[in-house]
Amino acid sequence: MRKYALVLMPYSGKILLGRKRSKRKSGNDTAPWVVPGGTINKGESALRAAQRETFEETRKDLPRNRFRFRGIVRNEAEEQEYHIFWAPLSRDEYREKPPPYREFEELRWFDQDALPWEEMLPEHEEWLGRMMQTKTPLYFSVNHKNEK
């Protein structure tokens, strides 16, 4: 099972999401909005991966103590396991229009109560909706094939 670290970065009632660069060369293949994060490398802790991916994808160099573990979500259909972290940003770290880095075509802030669910992966909608409603770490499974 492939393992990933994903980082929810809230600021003032908003959440930062990214749209990956399309690997397709033609057509209207808009990538879905996703939570920043990526693969947990062999021998790397989920926390270290979350910190590394946050820097690689957003250029936010957050200290380890800023990351709060929020849960694990397993997608059985895709053989993926997501380790979810919460890393609130301070006023000094917030940028209204964050520039994209690496594989993101665009980074954008969304109001927490108006996320673009129809433009996100189905599994993100399921787990992110649950994570936003509680501060207690959650552990659960979903069973979605990613077709977006």
Side-chain angles (χ1 to χ4, degrees):
M1 182 163 288
R2 295 173 307 224
K3 295 183 179 183
Y4 300 89
L6 302 181
V7 183
L8 297 164
M9 287 180 277
Y11 175 78
S12 190
K14 298 179 182 204
I15 291 285
L16 186 64
L17 298 177
R19 194 184 295 273
K20 301 270 185 175
R21 296 188 190 282
S22 177
K23 292 184 169 104
R24 298 180 184 125
K25 300 286 185 194
S26 63
N28 188 12
D29 298 318
T30 304
W33 290 104
V34 296
V35 173
T39 302
I40 299 172
N41 295 325
K42 187 174 184 174
E44 183 178 44
S45 71
L47 174 58
R48 178 63 190 118
Q51 188 180 25
R52 175 182 53 77
E53 287 289 343
T54 298
F55 180 74
E56 288 177 359
E57 294 189 348
T58 70
R59 287 300 186 248
K60 305 274 183 226
D61 191 13
L62 304 178
R64 292 173 62 99
N65 65 358
R66 185 78 63 81
F67 293 82
R68 299 286 179 253
F69 178 72
R70 294 301 304 274
I72 295 176
V73 177
R74 295 177 70 127
N75 183 344
E76 304 297 340
E78 293 284 336
E79 296 185 7
Q80 298 172 339
E81 182 175 276
Y82 302 107
H83 296 246
I84 315 296
F85 292 85
W86 184 262
L89 298 182
S90 69
R91 183 185 313 188
D92 292 340
E93 294 161 335
Y94 172 78
R95 290 182 67 181
E96 186 174 340
K97 294 188 179 188
Y101 290 103
R102 291 187 54 146
E103 63 261 18
F104 279 126
E105 180 177 307
E106 181 180 8
L107 289 168
R108 187 187 305 171
W109 292 100
F110 290 91
D111 288 330
Q112 290 181 16
D113 58 356
L115 294 175
W117 299 118
E118 67 284 348
E119 297 178 57
M120 296 175 76
L121 295 173
E123 67 192 54
H124 274 53
E125 181 176 355
E126 188 169 345
W127 69 257
L128 184 53
R130 290 185 191 184
M131 294 281 174
M132 301 293 282
Q133 295 174 8
T134 182
K135 292 186 178 183
T136 305
L138 297 174
Y139 302 86
F140 61 94
S141 294
V142 296
N143 197 20
H144 293 285
K145 275 288 191 188
N146 292 328
E147 296 178 15
K148 287 188 180 179

